[in-house]
Amino acid sequence: MDKIVIRGGQQLSGSVRISGSKNSALPILAATLLTKERCVIQRVPDLSDVHYMLQILAHLGAEVERASGTVTVQAEKVNTVAPYEIVRKMRASVCVLGPLLGREKEATVSMPGGCVIGDRPIDLHLRGFEGLGAAVRVHAGNVKVFAPELHGTTISLEGKSGTTVLGTDNVMMAAVLAEGTTIIEDAAREPEVVDLANFLQKMGANIEGAGTSRIVIEGAKELHGAEHEVIPDRIEAGTFLIAGAIAGKEVTVNRVRADHLTAITDVLRDCGFGLNGTNGSLSIRPNGATKSLNIKTQPYPGFPTDMQAQMCALLSTVAGVSSVTENIFPQRFMHISELKRMGAAIELDGSTARIRGVGSLSGAPVMASDLRASAALILAGLLADGTTEINRVYHIDRGYEMIDEKLIDLGAQIERVKV
Ligand code: EPU
């Protein structure tokens, strides 16, 4: 297991090239199961979660090739069972359910468990499949969905915590091959859902309204092969913007979609940082005094839960008292106790973190608990005096392509050590 060692306090400057989006690439790769023909997906990030997805596709019978950022998948024949040994490694494996159900009218996937960011049910995915006419059985840790035929219908994906991103993806992927019209109400509006819908349309699906809360799908008889380039990773871009805010002279993120980053850039501007750029490239620099903030995570276009931990790291040294409320995963606060070990003054009150900005953080050995918590600890390490050692760093490799190399290029002193 590797660890990352950071000597904090170095000033960062320069530019960083943002990778393709993990959360777009995973469902798009799953969607290649919807056709017998060859699909070519570009700008696929080199991440362990992507490797797990490619393993699942291969297990299901697809031929998979990868040459740097381009993945080719051809699923001429598929089997419909994704076993625990593979699925347990990554929750997003659940998004093969929709395409398998759409194509083969049945799928069995090991039921994903909870994870460190909280309880993560799939009831809304299953509600959507049932709406399309599928039966759902949970047995021996597996969930099986099956139907003689799928029929279009109106489905609401509103749950007690709002809508669901992968649930919207899953229902959309099943509905593209259902008979008739499916209307998804209360759909997730994330750019990653739109990216998947764009790919499905290139495959011959008829989808309108992706990016709004009402998606209308006209079922097709079959889909064909297509080529697609994955959108830039807005969470990686946001993380590097915060690295620039924390330790930057001026840091530029290139190959981004600034329109996907508005909630993040608005918050950074409110905090007192200078941001400018075009839609494809954004720069951040310190701009004098910083201000404490009150933030709430929300579904897109609100402030993303996947940036909450990184924002907590930034606010740890911003003078005044900030509050960060987590509305999507109320228990997603494993980073707080580690940030406190580095000297941050944070109190948790239910799903709100109250952060009193301190003068400085001090380097310490810390433990990464999940992907975004790891990113937050790296950011805190860049800011801290002395050396920070981040253990269990495999979490970071699930979602950030070459984060250590990219930070070194910006001037960080960071080293990956084999343990
Ligand atoms: N929920 C339900 N029932 C369901 C599905 C979700 O109650 O059937 C609840 C969840 O418990 C949560 C809320 O709805 O409270 C939203 O969860 P959602 O289903 O939208 O999450 P997801 O689709 O499983 C994706 C991303 C996450 C990101 C969330 C929210 C992927 C692979 N994962 O997960 O990304 O946090 O949307 O934006 O796209 C990450 O990249 O670090 C990450 C965790």
Side-chain angles (χ1 to χ4, degrees), residues 58 61 70 165 238 279 290 298 339 356 366 379:
T70 301
V165 177
N279 194 30
T290 49
Q298 268 158 351
L339 289 172
R356 187 172 48 76
V366 287
L379 293 172

Side-chain angles (χ1 to χ4, degrees), residues 22-23 91 120-124 164-166 306 328 372:
K22 164 179 86 81
N23 290 348
R91 196 185 174 281
R120 298 184 69 184
I122 58 163
D123 55 311
L124 297 171
T164 161
V165 177
L166 289 178
D306 292 343
I328 312 290
R372 308 302 171 189

Side-chain angles (χ1 to χ4, degrees), residues 132 150 170-180 182 184 217-220:
L132 293 171
L150 297 177
N170 244 338
V171 175
M172 195 160 63
M173 288 190 280
V176 288
L177 291 179
E179 246 183 70
T182 301
I184 307 179
I217 302 154
E218 204 61 58

Side-chain angles (χ1 to χ4, degrees), residues 92-388:
S93 327
V94 74
C95 64
V96 300
L97 272 174
L100 289 176
L101 179 64
R103 174 167 165 178
E104 298 295 318
K105 308 293 175 269
E106 71 167 61
T108 304
V109 171
S110 177
M111 188 90 169
C115 74
V116 58
I117 68 175
D119 183 27
R120 298 184 69 184
I122 58 163
D123 55 311
L124 297 171
H125 304 227
L126 300 180
R127 186 209 283 174
F129 297 145
E130 283 175 331
L132 293 171
V136 174
R137 300 272 177 277
V138 179
H139 179 66
N142 295 320
V143 56
K144 177 171 180 175
V145 290
F146 54 102
E149 286 172 343
L150 297 177
H151 292 281
T153 184
T154 298
I155 295 160
S156 161
L157 289 180
E158 180 69 25
K160 61 179 184 340
S161 315
T163 182
T164 161
V165 177
L166 289 178
T168 303
D169 291 345
N170 244 338
V171 175
M172 195 160 63
M173 288 190 280
V176 288
L177 291 179
E179 246 183 70
T181 309
T182 301
I183 300 175
I184 307 179
E185 303 278 11
D186 309 303
R189 293 187 282 161
E190 270 63 8
E192 295 76 19
V193 174
V194 178
D195 203 24
L196 172 65
N198 287 340
F199 174 56
L200 292 170
Q201 275 178 300
K202 290 179 186 169
M203 297 174 82
N206 306 305
I207 303 174
E208 274 178 24
T212 73
S213 54
R214 186 172 192 269
I215 301 180
V216 181
I217 302 154
E218 204 61 58
K221 282 268 165 291
E222 59 179 14
L223 300 188
H224 52 74
E227 278 194 38
H228 186 74
E229 182 178 301
V230 172
I231 56 168
D233 195 310
R234 64 193 166 100
I235 304 301
E236 188 199 16
T239 303
F240 274 98
L241 286 175
I242 293 191
I246 274 179
K249 198 157 94 193
E250 174 153 308
V251 167
T252 302
V253 288
N254 284 329
R255 293 194 76 199
V256 295
R257 284 276 306 261
D259 54 332
H260 294 165
L261 286 160
T262 310
I264 300 167
T265 48
D266 283 355
V267 159
L268 290 170
R269 276 197 190 96
D270 289 349
C271 194
F273 295 95
L275 279 131
N276 55 53
T278 60
N279 194 30
S281 157
L282 273 174
S283 301
I284 187 162
R285 64 190 147 66
N287 207 8
T290 49
K291 279 205 315 261
S292 58
L293 294 177
N294 300 317
I295 303 170
K296 289 183 169 57
T297 65
Q298 268 158 351
Y300 190 82
F303 188 84
T305 171
D306 292 343
M307 287 297 299
Q308 181 260 108
Q310 300 89 314
M311 206 61 211
C312 288
L314 172 63
L315 293 173
S316 295
T317 58
V318 168
V321 177
S322 296
S323 76
V324 177
T325 301
E326 176 55 69
N327 286 319
I328 312 290
F329 297 111
Q331 299 160 42
R332 192 178 202 177
F333 281 117
M334 299 288 280
H335 44 285
I336 297 298
S337 46
E338 300 302 295
L339 289 172
K340 282 166 87 164
R341 298 187 58 250
M342 298 176 73
I346 309 179
E347 293 304 325
L348 257 187
D349 176 5
S351 57
T352 298
R354 290 190 207 292
I355 308 172
R356 187 172 48 76
V358 291
S360 62
L361 298 182
S362 58
V366 287
M367 197 68 86
S369 56
D370 72 87
L371 171 57
R372 308 302 171 189
S374 315
L377 295 175
I378 289 182
L379 293 172
L382 294 172
L383 175 75
D385 298 330
T387 302
T388 298

